[in-house]
Amino acid sequence: MNQSVKQKNGKAGKDAGSSREAEGRAHALSSVRNIGIIAHIDAGKTTTSERILFYSGKVHRIGEVHDGTATMDWMIQEQERGITITSAATTCFWKDHQINIIDTPGHVDFTVEVERSLRVLDGAVGVFCAVGGVQPQSETVWRQATKYKVPRLAFVNKMDRMGADFDKVVADMRNKLKAPAVPVHIPMGAAETFNGLIDLIEMRCLRFSEDDQGSKVESVDIPEELAAEAEAGRAYLIEQVAEVDEELLEAYMEEADVTADALNAALRRATISNQIIPVLVGSALKNKGVQPLLDAVVSLLPSPLDVPAVSGHSVKTDEELSRMASDFEPLTGLVFKMAADKFVGKLAFVRVYAGQLKKGMNIYNPRTKKRERIGRLLRLHANAREDVDVLYAGEIGGMVGQKLFTTGDTVCAENDPIVLENIEFPEPVISMAIEPKTTGDKDSLVAALKDMADEDPTFHTAIHEETGQTIIAGMGELHLEIIRDRILREYKVQANAGKPMVAYRESVSAKGEGAFTFEREIGGDHHFAALTLAVQPNAAGDGNVITFDVSTKVIPEVFRKGISEGISDALLTGVLGNFAIIDTKVSVVGGQTHDSDSTEIAFRSAAVMALRAAVSNSGPVLLEPIMLLEIETPEEHLGDVMGDLNSRRGRIREIKASNDLQVVRADVPLAEVFGYATSLRSLTKGRASYSMEPQAFEPVPPNMTDAILNR
């Protein structure tokens, strides 16, 4: 390798110069691609991933989702339901490039898998159904990718299906996602006539052989009847890229028809800067268009060298630090997922941003302030493993047996620590009680729930104070159903589960104040603290804010940490029904100290009681989660669907026609949609489908509040 350098005793030699790569690397940093496959459920993500593995030589037989044989859907629950539940990671190679792929779920209950995957990826492929276009979960995953500034390609899949409309999907992307989508392919035909595509960069027609599962790609001249459409498409592509790339604009001003190399280079720059979303086309199920997609991943998406250096802050000084992608920077990595593996035990998925992660080395966790030795390192392929001695900068792999690490933890060197920005996860919206069938299952159930909570940050467990029951909480009915199924099958624990319950929240509707004086003798010592708090509503979705509106003479700095912790504790249990308080501003507006008796314990206790008093005086309200439903139904059943939504307290946002179906978008309280799939099937004789995602928390109607609190 040209850029490799000599290393001695694990350190860069003097001849390293400005090189970023160690001698042991199999692939240069510039040829590494870390990508995710993201989409709405049933758009064809896993089918596309399976073809990528087949054509790159990673597997020698194409697995199918509908047969339960997909390599990336390896969990028994995934194979039975034909959906992706957990992100599967794999590594394959294409044209001497190493491509690390994460295939993410499309179902909204498992959106956390998308969130944490996008946090560590350099690029993504958004898969869109040529018939369905931009669907609700498409919007959710697109927003997540935008949040992390991930460069993307769009792959319009299922062009072989009846009703496929490539132009409509591109228009949908521009209108609904506000994405600068520009086609680099145009399809040849649609539905049963779809037989290939035109590459607008190379201006060639690509056809895919039927007799060897599309392995052979034939490049031929563009048919005469499509020449004008292809010329217009290329001209539009050049114009769009030239608008955002000065280098191509100069070439375009000199000569209208720029070279393929110049166009490709400019398109790569525009893609990496998120100014253009190249749109490709194909049908993964029919083995068409996947090799050009792999070519585009290699030529257009960024390597670790093309993305900004990862930033974090110093453990000691809080100053901002950055680490560029280099094998010779101090070790910097992020644990983005935990998994309990029956063969290897606790498995931590890690993205190495800088430095080298080596087997046998000591790594430092700045959250726990402890070091731990690495026993095994793995390269991942779905649920198969390959032992490696080192993971280099830019790579994704697994650490086995690390006891101190959890999702979102930074992996670094103890002598040069850094803390990377953590991953934010949504709060659960649904819960249910669970208990072991026998006393012998009790310990096993506790261990199983702990394992799954470690794996999944959106899955919470708690003991109900009054009943002593174990309560599990998650993102939806399917989420909890999968958890329950895994307890039985994977952990062999017999357990009884109650009916799902809504995870309500509390907030305040007005301004108010509360005060409390804590004065008590504990263990022979006097403790004193007096505190006055003011609360008021915060904007929906903005969370809780704690501020101090008093001088340090009134409340000295030494007590402020205890007060903040007391307020935070009190916000976890409201005053109406012990539900967490959200979207509330809390201000410390007054207080009193004693020269010798004031303690942090006293102020922490006073903060808890003062907050409860302040919330009680501020019009406390009960909030319920509201879901956005998108229902696709034949027109003859539209009236029944609408009537049913009205009976469920639904608010209709819009109704529009899509092909031969009516699409209804409505906001509906989560409490009203338990078992909705069964009801919808009954209303429409099985012809309608729906998707659902959390939208916001809204006040429960006053006439229903008492019934909920007294249930």
Side-chain angles (χ1 to χ4, degrees):
M1 188 181 294
N2 314 341
Q3 300 182 43
S4 62
V5 295
K6 305 232 181 210
Q7 282 187 285
K8 293 179 183 175
N9 302 322
K11 295 183 180 178
K14 292 181 180 177
D15 57 344
S18 61
S19 172
R20 298 188 186 185
E21 298 176 7
E23 193 172 47
R25 294 189 73 104
H27 286 80
L29 255 173
S30 59
S31 68
V32 173
R33 301 288 182 272
N34 292 309
I35 68 165
I37 313 290
I38 60 173
H40 182 87
I41 192 169
D42 279 344
K45 297 177 306 304
T46 300
T47 304
T48 303
S49 299
E50 291 297 319
R51 267 58 182 181
I52 288 174
L53 297 181
F54 177 70
Y55 296 129
S56 64
K58 184 71 179 180
V59 298
H60 302 293
R61 175 181 169 274
I62 294 177
E64 299 292 8
V65 174
H66 54 266
D67 293 336
T69 57
T71 308
M72 302 296 270
D73 282 352
W74 55 271
M75 288 174 64
I76 186 71
Q77 292 84 358
E78 295 176 313
Q79 293 165 0
E80 288 177 349
R81 292 166 175 80
I83 62 170
T84 301
I85 292 169
T86 184
S87 296
T90 191
T91 300
C92 64
F93 301 91
W94 183 255
K95 297 189 174 176
D96 206 31
H97 283 67
Q98 177 180 331
I99 305 176
N100 302 315
I101 303 171
I102 297 181
D103 173 36
T104 64
H107 197 285
V108 66
D109 283 14
F110 309 105
T111 189
V112 63
E113 293 285 341
V114 185
E115 180 88 19
R116 59 181 172 190
S117 299
L118 286 169
R119 170 69 173 80
V120 298
L121 294 171
D122 301 324
V125 176
V127 181
F128 296 87
C129 173
V131 180
V134 174
Q135 297 166 286
Q137 191 64 6
S138 312
E139 297 181 48
T140 302
V141 297
W142 202 261
R143 282 196 303 270
Q144 289 171 315
T146 301
K147 171 181 170 182
Y148 293 116
K149 298 182 175 62
V150 177
R152 279 148 279 174
L153 304 176
F155 181 61
V156 179
N157 189 29
K158 301 192 177 185
M159 277 303 299
D160 60 300
R161 280 187 55 192
M162 186 67 69
D165 189 336
F166 178 73
D167 293 335
K168 177 182 173 296
V169 179
V170 176
D172 261 7
M173 291 180 65
R174 286 184 161 273
N175 296 330
K176 292 184 180 179
L177 303 179
K178 309 301 180 196
V182 181
V184 295
H185 292 166
I186 55 175
M188 296 170 62
E192 69 275 1
T193 64
F194 177 63
N195 63 355
L197 58 92
I198 294 172
D199 181 343
L200 298 178
I201 298 175
E202 299 287 346
M203 286 302 278
R204 298 287 290 169
C205 166
L206 302 180
R207 297 184 188 275
F208 305 85
S209 58
E210 300 279 349
D211 53 353
D212 61 356
Q213 297 183 300
S215 293
K216 289 178 188 164
V217 183
E218 186 184 10
S219 175
V220 298
D221 292 337
I222 297 170
E224 205 170 304
E225 65 273 17
L226 295 174
E229 185 184 350
E231 288 291 346
R234 191 172 201 271
Y236 178 73
L237 172 61
I238 292 171
E239 286 170 14
Q240 293 298 304
V241 179
E243 277 187 21
V244 298
D245 189 90
E246 288 187 18
E247 205 172 311
L248 187 71
L249 180 61
E250 289 176 15
Y252 179 57
M253 297 297 284
E254 291 176 14
E255 188 177 345
D257 188 24
V258 299
T259 66
D261 287 346
L263 178 55
N264 203 67
L267 186 58
R268 175 179 172 79
R269 291 190 292 270
T271 303
I272 290 172
S273 61
N274 277 306
Q275 293 174 293
I276 294 284
I277 305 291
V279 185
L280 298 88
V281 70
S283 168
L285 186 64
K286 298 296 183 183
N287 309 312
K288 293 178 171 66
V290 177
Q291 295 96 323
L293 173 61
L294 274 167
D295 290 339
V297 166
V298 164
S299 64
L300 300 179
L301 287 181
S303 74
L305 298 175
D306 298 312
V307 295
V310 68
S311 61
H313 64 267
S314 166
V315 175
K316 298 172 184 173
T317 64
D318 261 3
E319 69 172 306
E320 190 168 323
L321 302 173
S322 64
R323 300 272 167 85
M324 66 179 184
S326 166
D327 293 334
F328 304 117
E329 286 271 296
L331 174 65
T332 306
L334 184 74
V335 174
F336 65 95
K337 177 176 176 174
M338 300 299 298
D341 187 289
K342 62 183 177 182
F343 297 112
V344 300
K346 197 171 181 182
L347 177 64
F349 288 62
V350 62
R351 160 72 193 263
V352 182
Y353 287 100
Q356 300 174 52
L357 190 60
K358 295 182 178 179
K359 188 167 75 171
M361 76 184 299
N362 287 322
I363 54 174
Y364 183 67
N365 185 339
R367 178 181 60 84
T368 61
K369 296 181 173 56
K370 292 182 180 178
R371 79 171 76 91
E372 199 168 359
R373 186 178 178 84
I374 293 182
R376 288 177 69 189
L377 287 176
L378 303 174
R379 184 164 284 132
L380 306 166
H381 175 51
N383 65 333
R385 320 282 183 227
E386 175 193 342
D387 279 274
V388 293
D389 291 330
V390 59
L391 290 172
Y392 295 98
E395 292 194 319
I396 291 173
M399 303 186 297
V400 175
Q402 309 315 126
K403 296 176 182 175
L404 305 176
F405 285 85
T406 189
T407 302
D409 281 350
T410 301
V411 176
C412 60
E414 189 173 6
N415 61 353
D416 202 342
I418 184 174
V419 178
L420 302 181
E421 182 185 351
N422 211 328
I423 308 170
E424 295 178 7
F425 298 113
E427 286 294 311
V429 297
I430 187 171
S431 63
M432 70 181 182
I434 191 166
E435 59 185 24
K437 279 189 176 179
T438 67
T439 53
D441 285 319
K442 185 177 180 181
D443 291 343
S444 300
L445 178 62
V446 169
L449 294 177
K450 183 182 183 305
D451 275 355
M452 284 186 281
D454 286 344
E455 284 182 38
D456 184 352
T458 61
F459 172 63
H460 294 188
T461 68
I463 305 297
H464 194 281
E465 287 182 10
E466 295 176 9
T467 64
Q469 285 182 305
T470 299
I471 304 296
I472 61 174
M475 298 306 295
E477 282 185 278
L478 180 62
H479 190 191
L480 294 186
E481 182 188 321
I482 298 296
I483 294 288
R484 191 167 52 184
D485 198 46
R486 289 185 62 195
I487 289 170
L488 176 64
R489 294 200 197 184
E490 284 182 38
Y491 294 92
K492 304 291 190 292
V493 178
Q494 299 295 319
N496 295 320
K499 289 183 179 179
M501 301 175 291
V502 176
Y504 292 95
R505 296 287 185 270
E506 296 181 27
S507 192
V508 296
S509 59
K511 292 183 178 180
E513 286 192 3
F516 189 82
T517 300
F518 182 92
E519 198 167 2
R520 195 170 298 172
E521 186 174 314
I522 303 173
D525 294 326
H526 290 281
H527 295 265
F528 174 86
L531 206 59
T532 303
L533 303 180
V535 300
Q536 66 183 79
N538 201 5
D542 282 1
N544 297 322
V545 177
I546 301 171
T547 59
F548 285 81
D549 294 341
V550 291
S551 71
T552 52
K553 291 181 180 178
V554 177
I555 303 290
E557 192 69 41
V558 68
F559 300 128
R560 296 195 173 201
K561 182 182 177 187
I563 292 170
S564 295
E565 289 174 350
I567 292 171
S568 297
D569 288 345
L571 288 169
L572 295 176
T573 53
V575 299
L576 294 176
N578 288 326
F579 302 112
I581 297 170
I582 62 170
D583 299 334
T584 300
K585 290 181 179 177
V586 184
S587 302
V588 180
V589 295
Q592 188 180 343
T593 61
H594 186 279
D595 290 343
S596 59
D597 292 350
S598 287
T599 61
E600 186 175 341
I601 293 173
F603 271 104
R604 183 167 184 157
S605 300
V608 172
M609 302 310 295
L611 183 81
R612 294 183 68 83
V615 171
S616 297
N617 295 332
S618 306
V621 291
L622 190 66
L623 305 178
E624 63 181 344
I626 304 297
M627 312 301 284
L628 172 61
L629 262 67
E630 181 163 304
I631 304 149
E632 294 183 343
T633 178
E635 190 163 3
E636 61 262 37
H637 298 297
L638 181 60
D640 293 333
V641 169
M642 297 277 288
D644 184 60
L645 285 174
N646 287 332
S647 73
R648 296 172 184 271
R649 298 192 282 134
R651 295 193 308 269
I652 308 299
R653 286 193 182 190
E654 64 173 342
I655 304 169
K656 62 181 181 181
S658 175
N659 299 319
D660 56 345
L661 297 173
Q662 293 291 320
V663 180
V664 182
R665 286 165 64 88
D667 292 324
V668 187
L670 175 63
E672 305 290 348
V673 291
F674 288 146
Y676 186 62
T678 304
S679 298
L680 187 63
R681 278 197 299 269
S682 175
L683 281 172
T684 63
K685 298 177 182 175
R687 297 177 63 195
S689 62
Y690 81 101
S691 60
M692 179 172 71
E693 63 176 302
Q695 213 39 31
F697 280 90
E698 293 183 4
V700 173
N703 63 322
M704 298 181 65
T705 301
D706 287 344
I708 291 169
L709 295 176
N710 295 326
R711 66 186 179 181

